[in-house]
Amino acid sequence: MIIVGGPASNGIDEKLSEMLNVKLVKAEHKIFPDGESYIRIPESVRGEEVVIVQSTYYPQDKHLMELLLMIEAVKNLGASKIISIIPYLAYARQDRRFKDGEALSLKIVLNLIYESGSDELITVEPHKPDAVISYFKGNVKIVDPTPALAREIKKEVENPFVLAPDRGALERAERLAKELNSPYSHIEKERDRTTGEVRIKEAPHLDLHGKDVVLIDDIISTGGTLAQASQLSYNLGARKVIAAATHVLLVNDAYDKLTRAGIKSIIGTNTIKVENKNVKIADISDLIAVKL
Ligand code: R5P
């Protein structure tokens, strides 16, 4: 086995190489003057099982293109099998056509990865695992980041209550609650499919008095969802609110929005290169390593 580290591997390639005692080859990369991506694999991988590590966080399209080019180059060099580790899989939220005429982004992205030559895909908690499994024609392995997130969350809370910001995230909340040995529940969210705006509904049935509420989601993008969930949690009596998510994208002023909403701590994972040093990062490399 050989690991090929891409420009957006965020150090996970090096960690895997060390943990598994496997050779690491760094992909050479540059951008041509006209903006196109260039990739070269500088060593032979003939006959080897090759594990390519490349996340697809911002700028998503560039990182995705680099991934496809790495797969093509590795295949052309004669790898016997190609496994793509994509810690954050971009475009996963557009997993169906919410409105007529919309592109089914997840499907085309997964087709490109497969058709470029990737036999297997390993990714960390995509938005809807079943959609990834059904659209990727090769083998798919999903990494559950909960144990890594829980390790960090335990340092921040005393009397935890895990709260999912929508019904779809309830199963995730249940997994985390098991690790924290805490109660859990969910609230309800509506999203305007044109403006993208979210609205969290009232939840009079929930009593969060004295609780350290742990909001859990797969992605924090604009922060709108969790900011509203935090305000609601305080209205319901929460003592403190923290936020945890697998993929902390933190677009624009998301961090300020979350702190203004009273969120005391934000915990993410290294599927994304998070520039904001106040965000606590849980390493998921060991959870990926066991899938290889
Ligand atoms: C959507 O259903 C996802 O699970 C997240 O709740 C969403 O992507 C968060 O986005 P934002 O931070 O922009 O509210």
Side-chain angles (χ1 to χ4, degrees), residues 1-6 9 12-13 16-17 20 22-27 41 45 48-54 67 70-71 74 79-86 118-122 288-289 291-292:
M1 179 183 281
I2 288 184
I3 294 176
V4 169
S9 55
I12 293 174
D13 54 346
L16 290 175
S17 159
L20 301 168
V22 168
K23 181 177 174 182
L24 171 64
V25 176
K26 285 281 195 186
I41 309 301
V45 296
E48 295 280 352
E49 186 171 292
V50 175
V51 177
I52 296 175
V53 186
Q54 170 86 341
L67 170 68
M70 281 190 285
I71 297 170
V74 162
S80 62
K81 181 179 176 185
I82 302 177
I83 301 171
S84 297
I85 295 181
I86 312 174
S118 188
D119 304 289
E120 189 169 309
L121 165 64
I122 300 179
I288 294 178
K291 298 284 184 189
L292 288 171

Side-chain angles (χ1 to χ4, degrees), residues 93 127 166 189 191 217-225:
R93 281 173 292 177
H127 186 57
D166 56 41
K189 174 175 96 175
R191 186 181 286 276
D217 211 345
D218 57 337
I219 295 175
I220 302 177
S221 179
T222 66
T225 302

Side-chain angles (χ1 to χ4, degrees), residues 26-278:
K26 285 281 195 186
E28 289 178 7
H29 60 98
K30 65 180 179 185
I31 304 287
F32 286 112
D34 62 358
E36 292 178 358
S37 299
Y38 166 94
I39 284 288
R40 177 172 177 263
I41 309 301
E43 289 185 45
S44 168
V45 296
R46 177 155 302 279
E48 295 280 352
E49 186 171 292
V50 175
V51 177
I52 296 175
V53 186
Q54 170 86 341
S55 201
T56 51
Y57 47 78
Y58 181 83
Q60 295 86 335
D61 295 358
K62 173 179 175 282
H63 290 154
L64 190 58
M65 194 63 205
E66 288 166 344
L67 170 68
L68 300 177
L69 297 179
M70 281 190 285
I71 297 170
E72 198 281 336
V74 162
K75 191 162 180 69
N76 180 256
L77 287 173
S80 62
K81 181 179 176 185
I82 302 177
I83 301 171
S84 297
I85 295 181
I86 312 174
Y88 170 65
L89 180 63
Y91 291 100
R93 281 173 292 177
Q94 189 69 25
D95 57 5
R96 59 191 171 96
R97 299 182 209 277
F98 299 94
K99 293 166 90 177
D100 284 349
E102 285 183 345
L104 188 38
S105 314
L106 176 64
K107 184 179 174 190
I108 187 67
V109 163
L110 292 177
N111 277 349
L112 285 168
I113 294 167
Y114 180 77
E115 297 300 340
S116 300
S118 188
D119 304 289
E120 189 169 309
L121 165 64
I122 300 179
T123 188
V124 184
E125 187 155 76
H127 186 57
K128 292 225 179 76
D130 288 352
V132 175
I133 291 165
S134 75
Y135 288 133
F136 188 71
K137 294 187 194 113
N139 192 30
V140 175
K141 290 180 183 164
I142 306 285
V143 176
D144 176 9
T146 311
L149 285 169
R151 283 197 289 262
E152 289 300 317
I153 293 168
K154 280 179 188 162
K155 298 176 193 163
E156 307 280 329
V157 291
E158 279 167 26
N159 186 17
F161 187 103
V162 178
L163 191 60
D166 56 41
R167 192 182 287 271
L170 186 61
E171 191 265 332
R172 180 176 306 118
E174 184 179 3
R175 270 185 272 134
L176 179 59
K178 253 188 207 146
E179 295 274 345
L180 300 178
N181 197 19
S182 78
Y184 68 97
S185 188
H186 72 94
I187 47 185
E188 299 279 355
K189 174 175 96 175
E190 282 174 344
R191 186 181 286 276
D192 183 315
R193 287 283 160 207
T194 306
T195 63
E197 240 170 77
V198 291
R199 194 179 70 83
I200 296 277
K201 293 188 192 164
E202 295 300 317
H205 58 286
L206 268 181
D207 180 6
L208 299 177
H209 279 95
K211 297 289 185 191
D212 292 346
V213 172
V214 182
L215 299 172
I216 179 78
D217 211 345
D218 57 337
I219 295 175
I220 302 177
S221 179
T222 66
T225 302
L226 294 193
Q228 286 194 41
S230 173
Q231 278 149 1
L232 180 66
S233 302
Y234 283 113
N235 293 344
L236 295 169
R239 189 179 76 105
K240 165 179 167 180
V241 180
I242 70 165
T246 313
H247 314 290
V248 179
L249 307 181
L250 285 185
V251 175
N252 301 331
D253 65 341
Y255 180 80
D256 293 339
K257 204 185 281 177
L258 294 170
T259 49
R260 272 200 307 271
I263 290 179
K264 303 295 180 217
S265 178
I266 301 171
I267 297 166
T269 76
N270 53 345
T271 61
I272 305 282
K273 188 171 187 173
V274 181
E275 305 292 351
N276 188 318
K277 298 288 170 241
N278 295 317

